[in-house]
Amino acid sequence: MNSKIRNFCIIAHIDHGKSTLADRLIEETHTIAKRNMIKQVLDDMDLEQERGITIKLHAIQLKYKAKNNELYTLNLIDTPGHVDFSYEVSRSLAACEGALLVVDASQGIEAQTVSNLYLAIDANLTIIPVINKVDLPSANVENVKSQIIELLGCNDDEIILASAKANIGTEDILESIVHRIPAPKINENAPLRALVFDSTFDAYRGIIVYLRVVDGILKKGDRVKFFATEIPSDAEEVGTLRMNRVESGVLHSGDVGYMVTGIKTASELLVGDTIVNTANPAREPLGGYKKIKPMVFSGIYPSSSDDFEDLRESLIKLKTNDASLIFEPETSSALGFGFRCGFLGLLHMEITQERLDREYNQTIITTVPNVEYQVYRTDGEMVLVDNPSQMPPVGNIDHVKEPYIRAQILTPSDYMGNIMKLANDRRGVFVSTNYLSPTKADLIFEFPLSEIIFDFHDKLKSISKGYASLDYEFIEYRQSDLVKLDILLNNEPVDALSSIVHRTKSYEYGRKLCHKLKELIPRQMFEIVIQGAIGAKIISRETVKALRKNVIAKCYGGDISRKRKLLEKQKEGKKRMKQVGAVQLPQEAFLAVLAIDE
């Protein structure tokens, strides 16, 4: 029976038609009635539908009757395409034997395509190349074919031409999945080992894990435990994943499905862990699972301090559904109690904020994103700093190291000059150029991570008219001349607006930020002085003028001394107010740093 199972995923760059192709496969195998089909049916989150991107991986079981009249069970895991969600992709690959590599016929090979392909090759997956959108007038099939052959070393006849929108080539894809992807290795006599590749939280049933059974058999009612955390659990319900969960009572070696655990504490489960049977536990966990380290850090605070515990609960629940999110409590003198959160990138951070708002009704304030620095003190001690407020005093710092990444930029060769200039502005170090075709170049740069997390991707897209694509990976920490830039409001530092910048950019950056804050901070009854400072040295200043009440409006005629007396009284009152008046910062002020170049 298990020889008729095929476990596969779809990998591609963002917006190459991955979710639409999944729709066609679901339609062709009659998994959902035609009347219930919607566009991007697997992208069930509002955010995914609105943005047209896949954020969460989605697993679904398809039943396909092949041309040889055999009935096959196909377990499809749809994966995200954006660089920030490569963690999701690595989980899918660990649960599969094969992958459809989808490439847009008009865009060609892009950076994330290459990155995901290498992940799939490392996981020893069988790759089936598919050129999608071949019916578009702008399709350049022969050029894209030569790029795929160059990259994969495959034959011309192994590449499937398809159009997910026009339903071209769907049957060829299904036949290739059946005949080219190997069946999972069956080992039902060994002790149970199942890989947890995703999980979700249900308020009534606890944590529901999505898993791939590698060895043994998992039955309803089995007493199991998670290998890494050693937490025991009962398999309260076991089944397969159609559009909804379908209880089957048993999962055999090679199957993909779900298990209801009943565990209510979301922090107790690690995605990527191995499930074993407590009666006959396996000695070794499943290997080859890579833990991805967060690259961008930001503070998330409740808008009202009373909501701190609600925010904690929401983050814990969100973590069961997004294992790459990390967080720990922190305090800020400006914002009170909150959490320091780690993200894979800026889009991941943005999506997390949106999900907290929509799914958990949390009104939050976020601080400026930062990366993690290694600060070496004069006494030889090294401290990790992911929040500028943790930076030691200038006199105690010997040197600072920042994370560097290797960036791969795939672009039409017409835009190389503009990209070189952008890279130069962002302290990029050019490494090499490789031509995939006469018109497409593969550029390799090394960048400080802090220079590309804000708006580098947007700038790259705008200067290349949307054609260039970016992928990056962390390489090492390198020494740099970095300083902490403080923002002072009426001589009081606002820790939430502090940032760590390169000394050569600090003056211009401080000037722009002070100017931006002047536009955003509402005027008060007293003057607000905004200053940028490095240590004790003030490098920029702006002033928000005070609102002024016309106290002499009631004087009609009479002696000038009467007016002067009222003005002096107002002056004294303003002086007193400045001493006790607190400057209220709107949320836009904390995000001003992100829009600094606009």
Side-chain angles (χ1 to χ4, degrees):
M1 173 61 194
N2 293 47
S3 63
K4 298 289 184 286
I5 291 176
R6 300 290 182 270
N7 299 322
F8 72 100
C9 59
I10 305 177
I11 54 175
H13 191 82
I14 189 168
D15 209 25
H16 276 207
K18 187 167 57 298
S19 299
T20 312
L21 179 60
D23 286 358
R24 292 297 82 75
L25 297 176
I26 289 166
E27 223 171 56
E28 192 75 18
T29 53
H30 310 294
T31 305
I32 301 175
K34 255 207 162 99
R35 64 178 179 274
N36 296 333
M37 275 300 287
I38 56 167
K39 268 178 78 176
Q40 270 103 35
V41 69
L42 290 183
D43 294 346
D44 52 7
M45 230 186 276
D46 289 346
L47 270 173
E48 293 179 312
Q49 293 279 348
E50 283 168 27
R51 290 172 178 247
I53 60 173
T54 304
I55 294 165
K56 284 293 303 160
L57 63 83
H58 299 270
I60 186 169
Q61 189 179 90
L62 317 172
K63 297 284 186 186
Y64 173 61
K65 191 169 187 180
K67 286 180 180 174
N68 59 10
N69 278 332
E70 297 275 7
L71 187 65
Y72 289 86
T73 299
L74 313 180
N75 290 311
L76 158 64
I77 301 172
D78 183 27
T79 61
H82 194 276
V83 61
D84 281 9
F85 302 112
S86 55
Y87 189 84
E88 300 274 328
V89 178
S90 70
R91 276 187 275 170
S92 313
L93 299 177
C96 295
E97 278 80 35
L100 296 180
L101 178 74
V102 179
V103 181
D104 188 319
S106 52
Q107 303 275 354
I109 298 276
E110 299 209 41
Q112 194 62 29
T113 321
V114 178
S115 170
N116 287 345
L117 174 65
Y118 289 151
L119 282 175
I121 290 169
D122 287 346
N124 291 321
L125 267 59
T126 301
I127 312 291
I128 299 175
V130 177
I131 299 178
N132 193 23
K133 308 186 186 180
V134 293
D135 58 329
L136 289 181
S138 58
N140 190 347
V141 176
E142 290 310 311
N143 187 22
V144 176
K145 262 190 186 177
S146 63
Q147 289 178 24
I148 291 173
I149 292 166
E150 175 80 23
L151 196 64
L152 274 179
C154 61
N155 297 324
D156 192 310
D157 57 357
E158 290 176 37
I159 301 169
I160 300 169
L161 304 184
S163 170
K165 237 174 197 152
N167 201 10
I168 298 168
T170 313
E171 198 175 330
D172 294 341
I173 293 169
L174 286 164
E175 286 294 320
S176 293
I177 291 166
V178 163
H179 296 299
R180 284 161 65 177
I181 293 175
K185 286 178 184 166
I186 309 304
N187 195 1
E188 292 195 347
N189 300 321
L192 171 70
R193 290 198 303 172
L195 172 76
V196 178
F197 65 83
D198 200 8
S199 63
T200 186
F201 187 83
D202 186 295
Y204 302 104
R205 314 196 69 185
I207 295 172
I208 298 167
V209 295
Y210 299 135
L211 51 90
R212 153 77 193 272
V213 180
V214 177
D215 297 331
I217 299 173
L218 176 64
K219 293 177 185 165
K220 181 180 178 178
D222 280 356
R223 185 74 175 158
V224 297
K225 71 172 182 178
F226 295 90
F227 199 96
T229 54
E230 301 228 322
I231 291 164
S233 164
D234 288 317
E236 293 182 5
E237 186 182 305
V238 170
T240 55
L241 297 155
R242 302 286 280 180
M243 248 348 262
N244 299 309
R245 293 186 283 271
V246 180
E247 187 174 358
S248 65
V250 62
L251 288 172
H252 297 269
S253 174
D255 283 342
V256 172
Y258 73 94
M259 178 181 86
V260 177
T261 64
I263 298 172
K264 289 289 167 72
T265 316
S267 57
E268 291 182 349
L269 190 133
L270 296 173
V271 172
D273 205 347
T274 303
I275 295 174
V276 295
N277 203 311
T278 49
N280 181 19
R283 293 183 181 178
E284 291 288 319
L286 294 164
Y289 194 79
K290 185 181 170 191
K291 186 147 180 67
I292 306 290
K293 196 179 170 201
M295 302 303 286
V296 177
F297 296 84
S298 172
I300 290 185
Y301 294 83
S303 54
S304 163
S305 55
D306 297 343
D307 297 335
F308 175 73
E309 282 305 323
D310 287 347
L311 180 59
R312 183 201 295 274
E313 280 299 307
S314 302
L315 282 167
I316 288 171
K317 286 174 185 172
L318 187 57
K319 185 171 169 60
T320 61
N321 202 237
D322 181 1
S324 48
L325 172 69
I326 66 157
F327 60 92
E328 57 184 37
E330 74 165 2
T331 55
S332 157
S333 56
L335 300 169
F337 291 99
F339 295 92
R340 192 84 190 151
C341 299
F343 308 95
L344 297 176
L346 219 60
L347 178 70
H348 184 208
M349 176 180 136
E350 204 181 308
I351 295 296
T352 303
Q353 290 167 17
E354 284 265 4
R355 290 185 71 184
L356 283 170
D357 177 25
R358 292 187 189 205
E359 295 173 32
Y360 302 99
N361 296 318
Q362 294 296 316
T363 310
I364 55 170
I365 293 171
T366 52
T367 63
V368 180
N370 282 293
V371 299
E372 194 170 60
Y373 298 93
Q374 293 179 347
V375 180
Y376 290 81
R377 299 159 64 106
T378 46
D379 60 7
E381 188 192 348
M382 188 271 280
V383 288
L384 288 172
V385 172
D386 60 29
N387 187 345
S389 62
Q390 301 165 349
M391 197 81 162
V394 181
N396 295 351
I397 297 173
D398 180 55
H399 65 275
V400 181
K401 287 187 174 182
E402 64 178 330
Y404 264 72
I405 54 105
R406 175 174 274 109
Q408 179 184 37
I409 299 172
L410 266 67
T411 175
S413 43
D414 300 357
Y415 305 111
M416 279 174 66
N418 290 344
I419 290 168
M420 291 284 191
K421 184 178 181 304
L422 175 66
N424 202 35
D425 292 345
R426 299 301 176 93
R427 298 193 283 134
V429 179
F430 174 72
V431 177
S432 66
T433 307
N434 178 30
Y435 284 90
L436 294 177
S437 72
T439 57
K440 194 147 200 171
D442 178 3
L443 305 173
I444 306 291
F445 290 95
E446 289 174 359
F447 285 103
L449 179 61
S450 57
E451 294 285 350
I452 71 156
I453 59 169
F454 293 138
D455 58 352
F456 182 83
H457 190 257
D458 296 343
K459 287 268 191 323
L460 180 69
K461 284 290 182 191
S462 64
I463 63 173
S464 66
K465 297 188 170 66
Y467 284 110
S469 61
L470 168 75
D471 184 51
Y472 61 86
E473 61 175 5
F474 169 74
I475 45 174
E476 62 180 353
Y477 277 84
R478 292 182 190 170
Q479 189 172 331
S480 296
D481 186 11
L482 299 167
V483 292
K484 179 188 173 190
L485 175 69
D486 284 313
I487 297 296
L488 313 177
L489 296 182
N490 287 346
N491 294 320
E492 286 294 319
V494 181
D495 57 355
L497 285 175
S498 299
S499 51
I500 297 169
V501 292
H502 198 266
R503 194 182 296 275
T504 56
K505 294 188 167 189
S506 58
Y507 170 73
E508 185 190 3
Y509 185 78
R511 187 173 55 79
K512 282 183 176 176
L513 185 51
C514 288
H515 183 72
K516 195 87 179 173
L517 290 171
K518 181 186 176 183
E519 295 171 8
L520 292 170
I521 294 174
R523 289 173 72 187
Q524 315 280 341
M525 294 302 290
F526 52 90
E527 189 180 81
I528 301 168
V529 177
I530 307 164
Q531 294 169 309
I534 296 171
K537 185 182 178 186
I538 304 296
I539 60 166
S540 57
R541 171 185 167 133
E542 293 283 352
T543 307
V544 179
K545 294 288 182 198
L547 288 169
R548 186 171 174 188
K549 184 181 174 186
N550 190 359
V551 290
I552 57 174
K554 56 190 172 187
C555 296
Y556 43 93
D559 189 47
I560 186 69
S561 59
R562 175 74 184 139
K563 292 181 183 176
R564 191 169 288 135
K565 185 180 174 185
L566 286 168
L567 288 169
E568 287 298 323
K569 192 176 176 186
Q570 183 187 34
K571 200 173 178 182
E572 284 301 313
K574 278 193 182 291
K575 211 177 261 181
R576 246 190 343 269
M577 193 186 287
K578 193 171 180 179
Q579 288 167 3
V580 297
V583 181
Q584 293 296 318
L585 284 173
Q587 163 71 354
E588 292 78 42
F590 297 104
L591 299 176
V593 184
L594 302 181
I596 208 87
D597 290 331
E598 288 176 12

